Amino acid sequence: DPAAVNLARLLSDGEQLAVPAVGETPAAAPGVASDGRVDLNTADAATLATLPRIGPAMAQRIIDWREANGPITSVDELLAVSGIGAKTVEALRPLVVP
């Protein structure tokens, strides 16, 4: 079902893209909670980069921070990631889950 896939989205090397059959419900993207918000602890760089104010470099910094410090338990912990300030955290708060 080509209508179920974003044909303009760039893919990274090694990324798998699930293409559902016509009428099949598409699977949730990796790192996306059941309510559609991005899970900060399981999202890959591509999923994190879909968030406002988060590009590929910032997405990688979030991943590096959680690998060095353990799971993110609060959205406020993003303030510890280099380059993320209070305005960015407030913009992300309704879009993410720790």
Side-chain angles (χ1 to χ4, degrees):
D1 184 5
V5 179
N6 178 354
L7 299 175
R9 182 174 162 260
L10 293 175
L11 300 176
S12 59
D13 187 30
E15 182 178 359
Q16 294 182 357
L17 177 65
V19 180
V22 173
E24 183 180 35
T25 304
V32 176
S34 60
D35 61 5
R37 294 185 293 168
V38 172
D39 186 324
L40 294 171
N41 289 303
T42 60
D44 59 13
T47 303
L48 289 169
T50 65
L51 294 166
R53 303 183 185 195
I54 304 296
M58 186 64 69
Q60 189 57 53
R61 279 190 245 156
I62 293 169
I63 292 169
D64 293 344
W65 189 91
R66 75 180 185 211
E67 288 175 354
N69 297 285
I72 296 171
T73 59
S74 166
V75 177
D76 292 322
E77 285 186 67
L78 290 175
L79 291 168
V81 177
S82 175
I84 296 182
K87 287 184 179 183
T88 300
V89 169
E90 289 311 312
L92 295 176
R93 192 174 301 282
L95 305 174
V96 299
V97 293

